[in-house]
Amino acid sequence: MKGGLLEVWRDTRQLVLAAQVAAIYAAVLIPFKVGIPIIPGFVELRPANAIPVVASLLFGPAAAWGAAFGNLIGDLFGTLGPGSLFGLLGNFLYGYVPYRLWGRLGPLSSGCPPEPRAPRQILEYALICILASLACAGTIGWGLDVMRLLPFQVLAPAIFINNVLMSSVLGPPLLLFLYPRVARWGLLYAGGPGDRQDVRERRPVPVEAQSAPDGPRITIRDLRFAYRSAARPALHGLSLSVKAGTLTAVLGGSGAGKSTLCYCLNGLIPHYLPGELSGTVLIDGRDTRQATVSQHARSVGLLFQDFEAQLVSTNVERELAFTLGNLCPDLSREAVVARITDTLRLLGLDGYRARDPLSLSGGERQRLAIASVLAPRPPVLVLDDPTTDLDPAGRAALYALLRRLVETGTTVVLTDHETEDVVLADHACLLSQGGLVWDGRPDRLLRRPVLMEQCDVRPLPLSAFFARLGYRDELPLTTEEAVALLKNKRVRIDEPDAAASTDPSARLVIEARAVEYAYGEGERSALDGVDLTVRQGEFLALVGANGSGKTTLAMLCKGLLVPTRGEVRIHGEDTRRMTAGRLASMVGYVFQNPDHQIFANTVSEEIAFGPRNLGVPADDIPGRVREALEAVGLDLPGIADADPFSLTKGDRQRVAVASVLATRPDILIFDEPTTGLDYREIRGMMALIRQLNQAGHTIVMITHLMWVAAEYAARCVVLQAGRVVADARTRTVFAQPERLEPLSLRVPQIPRFTQHYGRTLLTPEELESCFRIA
């Protein structure tokens, strides 16, 4: 991030940082206005005075503006007066001086980043605190002396000592904690004109616009991008052309470069995300470096992989109104209302207008994020993993909607981890380690299962099976094609081995009796009369459409929620009467997004947190950490001391599992454990969960991936509108496609295919061992 003082007001990201600094500064200032005054009405003890110095060294000029306005906001709570003008100016300097002086103190400079670790860094930091405090105290003291409000010799020393003390004592630990994270997030100030040397060039490249209605809408030439401090480029040598009015699916494993490509298409790279960029990205002939991201947003709508970061409003209708107000200012009020109604109807959210987005299920929130991107009707839609939280019917509905948009001329680029719907695309690209390894028709790619698996993309199971049988170009993509290939052949399916069943005499570990739950008064019940029992050692999958109540039921079983009516018992105890510590020792809950669960500086600290809070003796905790790391396959050199947020999504998920295992619960609840993982990572995560089950843990898993439920769970419980509508062995549940399809669920390929021959096989292994062709 770069720019001068005025650039802050033209750069949305820096403006947001300035506002956040102001808000945090004011929030910490205000409680001390009344609490601990030094000179009543003028100066008080201010622990917050470490914030401008720290923020200045991290964010540069954004911190100067944030400190100025944060102090003014604080003055509104008890000390606002004529002297507040000089308070604003003095705090502006307090946030301006540190970043301007760091590295410019001649022989006193350390020549290192502003992390006060080594003696020279500590000395440089101390000098900067003194100089910034002098500038702030001198300005405020002089101003109030001129106004005859308070003598300089009284006020200035009080401000100076307070600033130096607080910034020197509280600033270093804050910097040590924040600097590596801010650097990793790409928010670190990198200088502007006359400041620190800029780390990347962002001058517009003059490219003549060449609008060609029959030509490609997107043209990428020899694109290379490397994130700052990355060991290898995220994209390299990528050239691609996308025609207007087509649907392009971009496939690839984690780290293949899919999200980076999406960021390049709307200008986030290079305008916001720092790194080294070469090559060109043209949208309708115009280089993405020629316009700001806000200008690109009118023509290129982007859905982030972390879609929840895009939701900002307090209800569904306002979410779309916010987007339309910013990107379509010429629309009349009536047109905005009509556009909102039409978009919500398209995404199946018309009945949710007044709902708080936080009260929606994960899939419903994802549909809302898609609706907010779609509402302005941009000619280009870029959707990064838009189906990750959608149920099978939701995936199919989204692809059907995208096909309709394409027919009206919209160009759609989407990334996806699942492959069964990709055949509906016009164009497919396969990325691996930042390079393009396939570019062409999706049906031809889907008939190359070995290549797909090599690139960590799940091949269609029937294509992979027929390839192993020796078929080549005619590999089937659907169950109908597979059955047609075998039309004149004799097919026999042996009885699959009986899966190990749970001992009916095993003790009940979870009991839900007539459970109801509503998130608010007057709201429709998320659960309505649910009865469920789970026995020790079971592996149970909770499946159902978005909003059917799966996560609510799981949170009740963990004790994170308590029933509105009915009761939930864990090992016979009512969760209402159990302490949080007792519940934590019995039930482990792994959230859908590991980043909502992880918070510690190192992996070992993260894993040790639970046992430490449960009162486990300190001498036993290192052993529990080692045991948990071994259980999840992370007992590797350097992992224990690593920052968990520096790990891949799959490894962060494993850290979250390890942190739960360290408390040694016998019940483990997984909420969508495969979200955001590629095929290789999904297999690894599910192998871990199966291993935990075989070791004696009871597993309750929520999933939208029907093939995961079919291949791993012994029992399936199907929810619809807050009620249990099916509860049986997995094979029994998937043997009834006529019951599942009305519930927004889709039987996976292998069971669908084998049902043509009177059996229901669930896994590739069963297909290999039981399927015979004469």
Side-chain angles (χ1 to χ4, degrees), residues 18-325:
Q20 289 177 328
V21 171
I24 294 169
Y25 190 28
V28 184
L29 280 174
I30 291 166
F32 292 89
K33 288 286 180 181
V34 177
I36 313 177
I38 296 175
I39 302 175
F42 293 97
V43 67
E44 56 283 325
L45 182 67
R46 292 186 169 194
N49 280 21
I51 293 171
V53 175
V54 171
S56 180
L57 294 173
L58 295 175
F59 307 128
W65 292 110
F69 286 104
N71 185 75
L72 184 61
I73 294 169
D75 281 357
L76 294 173
F77 291 82
T79 57
L80 186 66
S84 294
L85 176 63
F86 290 98
L88 183 146
L89 181 58
N91 277 271
F92 177 88
L93 293 173
Y94 194 41
Y96 175 77
V97 169
Y99 85 87
R100 290 290 292 170
L101 291 186
W102 187 272
R104 293 183 172 179
L105 296 178
L108 298 177
S109 289
S110 64
C112 298
E115 289 183 281
R117 297 181 185 273
R120 288 181 62 83
Q121 288 172 296
I122 293 171
L123 174 62
E124 184 175 9
Y125 178 79
L127 288 173
I128 282 176
C129 286
I130 291 170
L131 294 172
S133 298
L134 279 172
C136 176
T139 301
I140 298 173
W142 172 79
L144 269 66
D145 192 35
V146 167
M147 298 177 71
R148 300 186 182 279
L149 293 173
L150 206 66
F152 179 89
Q153 59 269 27
V154 173
L155 182 59
I159 295 174
F160 173 76
I161 293 171
N162 189 32
N163 285 4
V164 170
L165 180 64
M166 295 303 169
S167 59
S168 299
V169 173
L170 301 179
L174 273 175
L175 266 177
L176 291 173
F177 176 77
L178 291 172
Y179 186 89
R181 288 163 172 76
V182 171
R184 186 173 65 250
W185 298 331
L187 297 175
L188 194 65
Y189 180 66
D195 290 331
R196 304 174 200 162
Q197 184 178 2
D198 203 357
V199 297
R200 61 191 173 94
E201 185 60 64
R202 267 179 41 188
R203 288 177 299 182
V205 176
V207 176
E208 182 180 353
Q210 25 181 307
S211 178
D214 297 327
R217 172 145 277 169
I218 300 171
T219 303
I220 300 171
R221 297 173 184 158
D222 197 25
L223 180 63
R224 182 188 185 280
F225 181 76
Y227 290 98
R228 188 187 297 163
S229 303
R232 62 177 179 83
L235 295 171
H236 60 85
L238 183 65
S239 296
L240 188 64
S241 179
V242 177
K243 292 181 180 179
T246 58
L247 171 57
T248 296
V250 181
L251 305 175
S254 298
K258 304 186 300 298
S259 293
T260 302
L261 176 60
C262 292
Y263 301 151
C264 289
L265 293 177
N266 85 327
L268 280 174
I269 293 175
H271 295 300
Y272 277 79
L273 298 177
E276 297 178 7
L277 175 72
S278 62
T280 57
V281 179
L282 308 178
I283 306 293
D284 287 330
R286 183 175 296 279
D287 194 294
T288 53
R289 286 171 286 189
Q290 286 188 315
T292 65
V293 175
S294 60
Q295 291 169 329
H296 278 302
R298 293 174 172 82
S299 57
V300 181
L302 174 64
L303 176 77
F304 289 103
Q305 186 177 35
D306 182 9
F307 59 87
E308 293 186 84
Q310 288 179 256
L311 302 178
V312 297
S313 296
T314 54
N315 73 26
V316 167
E317 187 170 21
R318 292 191 191 116
E319 189 69 44
L320 270 63
F322 176 81
T323 303
L324 291 170

Side-chain angles (χ1 to χ4, degrees), residues 652-735:
R652 294 201 304 278
Q653 192 78 289
R654 288 175 178 268
V655 170
V657 175
S659 68
V660 169
L661 290 179
T663 63
R664 295 182 178 171
D666 63 345
I667 303 168
L668 294 172
I669 299 175
F670 294 88
D671 191 352
E672 296 284 1
T674 61
T675 295
L677 304 185
D678 65 29
Y679 181 54
R680 177 180 55 82
E681 292 170 332
I682 289 174
R683 285 295 188 193
M685 176 55 61
M686 293 311 304
L688 168 62
I689 295 174
R690 173 179 280 168
Q691 178 184 344
L692 293 171
N693 179 238
Q694 292 169 345
H697 290 279
T698 303
I699 304 293
V700 176
M701 176 185 68
I702 298 171
T703 185
H704 283 127
L705 296 182
M706 294 299 100
W707 68 268
V708 167
E711 293 186 27
Y712 291 93
R715 173 184 165 199
C716 271
V717 174
V718 184
L719 294 177
Q720 182 192 31
R723 297 188 175 193
V724 174
V725 293
D727 180 357
R729 305 292 297 170
T730 302
R731 197 181 309 280
T732 303
V733 170
F734 284 111

Side-chain angles (χ1 to χ4, degrees), residues 600-653:
N601 290 334
T602 68
V603 169
S604 59
E605 289 174 11
E606 182 69 37
I607 297 171
F609 178 83
R612 185 177 293 119
N613 279 272
L614 291 178
V616 173
D619 292 343
D620 294 343
I621 289 176
R624 290 212 183 189
V625 171
R626 286 193 302 272
E627 176 186 286
L629 286 172
E630 288 172 6
V632 301
L634 288 179
D635 51 333
L636 303 171
I639 288 288
D641 296 324
D643 182 340
F645 289 101
S646 69
L647 305 179
T648 65
K649 173 74 178 294
D651 282 346
R652 294 201 304 278
Q653 192 78 289

Side-chain angles (χ1 to χ4, degrees), residues 359-525:
S359 73
L360 303 178
S361 71
E364 290 164 346
R365 288 198 297 273
Q366 185 158 36
R367 295 210 306 269
L368 175 58
I370 295 169
S372 70
V373 173
L374 179 61
R377 302 294 189 267
V380 178
L381 272 177
V382 180
L383 309 176
D384 192 1
D385 214 358
T387 64
T388 181
D389 273 9
L390 300 184
D391 58 48
R395 284 180 56 88
L398 177 62
Y399 268 91
L401 170 61
L402 297 178
R403 288 304 323 169
R404 294 201 300 273
L405 292 173
V406 162
E407 290 166 4
T408 64
T410 303
T411 303
V412 180
V413 177
L414 66 83
T415 72
D416 206 344
H417 279 302
E418 288 296 297
T419 49
E420 201 162 336
D421 294 308
V422 169
V423 71
L424 299 173
D426 302 299
H427 179 205
C429 304
L430 180 61
L431 303 184
S432 178
Q433 297 183 353
L436 183 65
V437 297
W438 176 273
D439 179 15
R441 282 170 39 185
D443 59 325
R444 291 181 177 173
L445 173 60
L446 294 172
R447 289 187 170 93
R448 300 193 62 180
V450 174
L451 174 65
M452 295 175 66
E453 195 156 6
Q454 287 172 344
C455 296
D456 296 329
V457 177
R458 179 178 181 250
L460 294 176
L462 290 181
S463 294
F465 175 63
F466 274 77
R468 289 192 293 273
L469 291 178
Y471 288 77
R472 292 293 177 259
D473 295 336
E474 68 270 42
L475 295 179
L477 303 184
T478 66
T479 57
E480 292 75 19
E481 289 181 9
V483 171
L485 272 177
L486 302 177
K487 184 176 181 181
N488 298 318
K489 299 185 183 294
R490 292 177 56 194
V491 173
R492 187 185 87 242
I493 302 180
D494 297 332
E495 184 74 31
D497 293 336
S501 60
T502 304
D503 183 355
S505 64
R507 61 177 175 166
L508 290 173
V509 294
I510 300 175
E511 300 172 80
R513 304 293 185 190
V515 168
E516 296 183 13
Y517 186 82
Y519 280 95
E521 191 174 345
E523 294 280 352
R524 178 181 65 85
S525 291

